[in-house]
Amino acid sequence: MTERRDGRADRDGHGDRDGGRVLHELVEAHGETFAEEAGITLKDTPQPLYRLLVLAVLLSARIRGSVGVAAARELAEAGLRDPRRMADADWQERVDALGRGGYRRYDERTATQLGEGAELVLDRWGGDLRRMHQEADGDVSALRDLLQEVPGLGPAGADIFLREVQDVWPEPAPYLDAKALSGAERLGLPKDPGRLVDLAGDTPPAHLAAALVRAALDKKIADSVASG
């Protein structure tokens, strides 16, 4: 427990000034979103939103994040950047692209899920996830449920999508799920999303979430920032 400058003890381990420093250093070093790492320039347009959906499916499996990101890049390099091309691709073409990204343990099942998911996006939302967004009508819980209709995308995958999309679709923001908040806990920061956003200043919430998730996944990241 530390004493805040105003004299009140902060039960989360950091005063506001120190907590702000920790978050600033974390975001500065590790605030790249997973979409950015996968080469996705996220905008409210069909192709980048679909590529984010694919990335969320890939990251849902019990694999290293770097492997999911590499697989997403390989699918994009193979031209599978939109649901029509994904649906029209041969199953083996999807398997091969996943394999080139090192995504071998789940490649066959995931190749099937990506094909089925692409068909769903085409049939249900005309290939445009903005229509899913409109269907949810600002209800984040409804949006989370709609995302989980996509094959291979469970609660964890829906959280990944919502963490990343919140700079483009503002309704979920600040979307700091259990994984992000576990990163905050590891850093001795408050687990209240509103307080974290206040401490982070003008940091976009998707970058804040990505940085906290990286701290949750890698103790070395948390230790390096906390000791700084």
Side-chain angles (χ1 to χ4, degrees):
M1 183 178 291
T2 58
E3 290 295 321
R4 289 169 41 155
R5 282 189 167 271
D6 60 9
R8 288 181 293 165
D10 189 333
R11 289 177 296 177
D12 298 298
H14 288 292
D16 285 352
R17 184 179 296 274
D18 191 33
R21 176 197 63 77
V22 168
L23 277 181
H24 176 78
E25 291 183 5
L26 178 70
V27 172
E28 188 73 20
H30 304 288
E32 181 182 36
T33 67
F34 290 90
E36 289 171 340
E37 189 179 349
I40 303 168
T41 302
L42 197 56
K43 296 182 287 188
D44 193 22
T45 55
Q47 188 177 109
L49 289 170
Y50 175 71
R51 290 181 63 194
L52 175 60
L53 185 75
V54 169
L55 178 63
V57 170
L58 297 174
L59 292 175
S60 295
R62 293 182 178 178
I63 48 104
R64 294 192 310 276
S66 59
V67 174
V69 166
R73 282 184 170 275
E74 289 294 339
L75 288 165
E77 287 293 321
L80 309 184
R81 294 168 172 258
D82 61 65
R84 173 50 62 198
R85 292 181 183 179
M86 185 70 80
D88 289 347
D90 291 338
W91 176 81
Q92 190 62 52
E93 185 179 353
R94 296 193 292 268
V95 170
D96 290 346
L98 291 169
R100 289 193 297 273
Y103 204 92
R104 294 186 178 88
R105 184 177 176 187
Y106 302 99
D107 54 351
E108 295 187 356
R109 184 183 70 182
T110 303
T112 299
Q113 291 172 335
L114 290 174
E116 293 173 347
E119 293 285 1
L120 173 68
V121 172
L122 289 166
D123 294 344
R124 179 80 179 269
W125 299 293
D128 187 347
L129 290 174
R130 292 177 299 182
R131 296 182 182 179
M132 173 197 284
H133 186 209
Q134 292 168 358
E135 183 176 336
D137 195 25
D139 186 331
V140 177
S141 179
L143 181 56
R144 194 170 185 268
D145 289 342
L146 289 171
L147 286 165
Q148 291 179 71
E149 294 184 22
V150 177
L153 203 68
D159 284 340
I160 291 166
F161 185 94
L162 291 169
R163 286 197 313 254
E164 295 277 315
V165 84
Q166 62 183 321
D167 288 349
V168 175
W169 292 351
E171 293 91 346
Y175 197 88
L176 300 177
D177 65 334
K179 179 65 73 175
L181 295 178
S182 70
E185 183 176 30
R186 173 171 274 179
L187 290 162
L189 294 168
K191 295 203 302 178
D192 175 76
R195 284 197 62 196
L196 289 168
V197 169
D198 288 343
L199 289 173
D202 59 359
T203 300
H207 291 75
L208 172 61
L212 290 170
V213 167
R214 287 191 168 92
L217 295 174
D218 189 341
K219 189 175 185 295
K220 291 180 181 178
I221 288 176
D223 289 346
S224 67
V225 174
S227 63

